Every structure is written in structure tokens, then in C-alpha cells.
Amino acid sequence: MKFFHLSDLHFGRQLHGYSLYMEQHNFIKQLSVYLGQEKPDAVLISGDIYDKAVPAGHAVTLLDELLISLDNIPSLIIAGNHDSAERLKYGKTFLEKHNIYISVMPPQSEDERLEKVILEDEYGKACFYMLPFIKPGMVRHFMPDEAAAGEQAVIQALLAKEDIDYTQRNIILSHQFYKNGSSMPQVCGSEQKPVSVGGTDAIDISVLKDFDYAALGHIHGAQPVGEEKSRYCGTPIKYSVSEAKHNKSITVVEAGDKKDGIHIRELPVTPLHDVLEFKGKLKDAIAMANEKNRQDYISITLTDDDIPEMVKEQLQGYFDNILEIKIDNTRTRQILSEDVEDFKELSPYEAFCGFFKETAGRGINEKESSIVKEIIEEAINNRQL
């Protein structure tokens, strides 16, 4: 049984305001070529199909292109934390007639079980279990004790209800933040949090230890969690500057006779435009520019002590897609060394009040204070959803 493992497509994503539509379209074209060459028995997509719960029209168009490229290959798709369950499951019954299976919610009653797809080859059955993104609140109405204990307890309880035949090959799709004991996965950008990512608690990978392969989604860098058989495939496209050094790929998994375990390899995905990160002198930034990287997305950190005026305009003569220009020189380091410790101690509200006083020349009044507190509270609540 050969299958492709994908996740975190984030259709509709932007990079510092730049549309990534053509990058994502380019990925689908490469995927289509690999599907023709490799002829996998299945395609697994482990969540975050869209970047937003309410995707833009061009994001929906990309999903349509993707589904067409699958060309009746059995394909299993689960919802991630960025996806809207209602929108992603649209056309679910129709799609199943074309071998596309979508699971958007965990079981919603005591009697309900995970959605399962069974495929067969010369080695017998391969059972694919679909566990979409889950938060305790989704199951609290029938699993109150487990929900109170957190994501790990919920997943353990849901799996305990399954009648899994471990003499067969069993694969699970899951979109959560998994760790291996005290070892956390390597994260990037906004994912960098000590115990959680995207509002999700860290779950020990041991809850999935009995599966022959765990097709994980949620983390943007391709990597195993503990054993190779539990794996984040990563994103197929670089979605942040912190991913500049990643080599993006499609994960290919082969599971033959159960006793032989699984075999993993990667198919490279070549971007239309790469994501670059430069730190150094202005003259060196200009010197590195060439026709090959001119249209790449680039983050530039300048270390010159004397930064000329209109430096962005000057650099735009060499690079078409500048993501940001940052300054890291003697002056900025001195400012940070003097102020950063005090800044770290400020709450969001205190930081805003300081900013307001500095820019408005007066302290915040009672009415303004009330509005700011409401906005901050709403932002925190939205982030936790």
C-alpha cells in the first residue's frame, strides 16, 4: 500500500501581504505530475486545507483544482484548526462517490465512532482512521470527565471505543500538537510556544503507538515525532520567513507486509519563488541580487550603523518582493538592552497605554480604557477558539 501524506495546504494564505495563489497552484501542478508517476493507492491530507474558516473565492478554486488532480484516487481529508467544519464538508456525500472521504468533526455521541476507510491490496486490508482537529469543548456534552482532563484524555477515550484489529495495518490521520515525552517538535514562526501550538495542548505521541503509521498535521516543518512511523509531513509551501531553510516535499509512505513496517521517502516540491532571509550590510544585500533571486520573497535585516534614507526604495531596485526590512545595529541593540526587560513585564493593556501616552501626549481616559480592554479580551478569546 503506497500513499501520499500531505497537510497544512493553507489555501488562501498570504505572505506579508503577498498572495500565494500562484505558489499553491504550482504545488498542485507538481502534485498532479507525481500522482501520475508514482500511482499511489491513496492520498492523505491531514488538515488545514484552508487558511481561514471563511476562505476567499480563490482558495475554494484551489481546492477544486486539487480534487480534480486526485483523479479518483482514494483520498482522505480531515479538518484542521484553520478549517470550518461546515464549509469543508460541503459536497461530502457527492465526493464519496468519487473516492474522496472528508471528516470534519470528532464523534458527537456515545455511540458514534471515528470515520474509517478500508482499502485492500495483496497484503490484505489497510484501515485508515480519521481524527480531525479536536478541542475538549467539542465532546464535553457526552465526555465531560475526559474533556475536563484535556485533549490527550479525549483522544485516548475515543480510540478506546474503536474496535481495532491490530493484526491488520492501521493508519490514523490526526491534526494536533504531538510531542514525544519531554521532547517537543521543532516549530517555526508563530508556532513557537513551549507547551501548545494554535491553542492546542501538547499530546504525548504514545497515544498513537499501536498504529502502523500516524499521518500528522499542524506543524509546518517535516519531521518524525519519536519513531519515524509518527510523522508531520510539513507544509508543501514556505508560509513564513522562519521556514526559509526548509526543503518542502510530499511524503510518500509504503506499507507492505505488516511485519516489515513502513518505508518513507520524500518527493521535492520546487517553488515558483523561494523565501529568503538575509542579514548583513546593505552593500552585501545588493551584491547578492541576481536574476535568479530577484523575484523571490526576501526578508532583509541590515546591520549597518548608518542606514541611508529611502533604503527600501533603493533595495526595491534589486528585489521585487521584499517582505520586510529590519534594522539590527549598535543603536537598536542599545535601545533593546535598555528597554526590553521592562517591556517584557507589560501586559497587552499596559503596553497599549504606554504606546497611547507616547503618541497622543496624554493618558488614556476611562471610556477609551474600557474599549481597549474589551478589544483585548475579544482578541484573546478568538485566539483560543
Side-chain angles (χ1 to χ4, degrees), residues 115-181:
E115 293 191 49
K116 180 171 73 170
V117 176
I118 300 176
L119 302 177
E120 292 193 49
D121 62 9
E122 65 269 30
Y123 296 100
K125 293 180 178 179
C127 302
F128 295 83
Y129 292 84
M130 303 169 71
L131 178 63
F133 175 70
I134 186 169
K135 294 195 75 172
M138 296 175 178
V139 298
R140 185 176 292 119
H141 56 286
F142 75 100
M143 302 177 72
D145 294 339
E146 291 84 353
E151 279 96 331
Q152 181 159 329
V154 168
I155 290 175
Q156 285 177 315
L158 290 176
L159 293 177
K161 294 175 181 291
E162 298 294 326
D163 184 20
I164 301 176
D165 181 357
Y166 288 106
T167 66
Q168 297 175 345
R169 292 164 296 170
N170 297 289
I171 297 95
I172 188 167
L173 290 74
S174 180
H175 189 96
Q176 303 287 151
F177 180 39
Y178 288 98
K179 64 185 180 71
N180 178 38

Side-chain angles (χ1 to χ4, degrees), residues 185-239:
Q186 294 182 355
V187 295
C188 55
S190 61
E191 296 174 326
Q192 291 181 348
K193 297 179 183 179
V195 295
S196 68
V197 169
T200 301
D201 291 337
I203 302 165
D204 197 89
I205 196 63
S206 60
V207 301
L208 306 181
K209 63 181 175 60
D210 292 326
F211 286 91
D212 296 281
Y213 185 75
L216 307 180
H218 199 43
I219 301 298
H220 287 197
Q223 60 194 287
V225 182
E227 298 180 70
E228 278 288 334
K229 69 172 188 171
S230 300
R231 186 171 183 82
Y232 285 110
C233 62
T235 60
I237 295 168
K238 297 179 182 180
Y239 286 128

Side-chain angles (χ1 to χ4, degrees), residues 279-280 300-308 311-312 315 324-333 336:
K279 183 175 182 178
I300 299 173
T301 300
L302 298 176
T303 59
D304 306 75
D305 283 331
D306 295 315
I307 303 294
V311 67
K312 182 174 182 179
L315 286 167
E324 59 188 355
I325 296 176
K326 299 185 288 186
I327 309 299
D328 181 13
N329 56 22
T330 304
R331 180 173 175 272
T332 58
R333 286 192 292 271
L336 284 173

Side-chain angles (χ1 to χ4, degrees), residues 3-7 9 11 23-40 42-45 62-63 65-71 73 75 236 249-252 267-270:
F3 54 87
F4 284 6
H5 173 199
L6 309 169
S7 77
L9 308 181
F11 289 155
E23 295 292 336
Q24 293 171 327
H25 174 70
N26 175 61
F27 155 68
I28 294 172
K29 287 175 60 178
Q30 291 182 63
L31 171 64
S32 184
V33 171
Y34 281 136
L35 289 171
Q37 293 173 346
E38 295 280 337
K39 295 180 171 45
V43 176
L44 316 185
I45 307 179
L62 285 165
L63 178 57
E65 289 181 21
L66 175 69
L67 296 180
I68 291 172
S69 74
L70 296 175
D71 195 24
I73 297 171
S75 301
S249 63
I250 295 167
T251 298
V252 183
L267 302 172
V269 175
T270 304

Side-chain angles (χ1 to χ4, degrees), residues 239-251:
Y239 286 128
S240 69
V241 175
S242 58
E243 298 173 51
K245 295 182 179 179
H246 288 189
N247 294 314
K248 298 301 185 180
S249 63
I250 295 167
T251 298

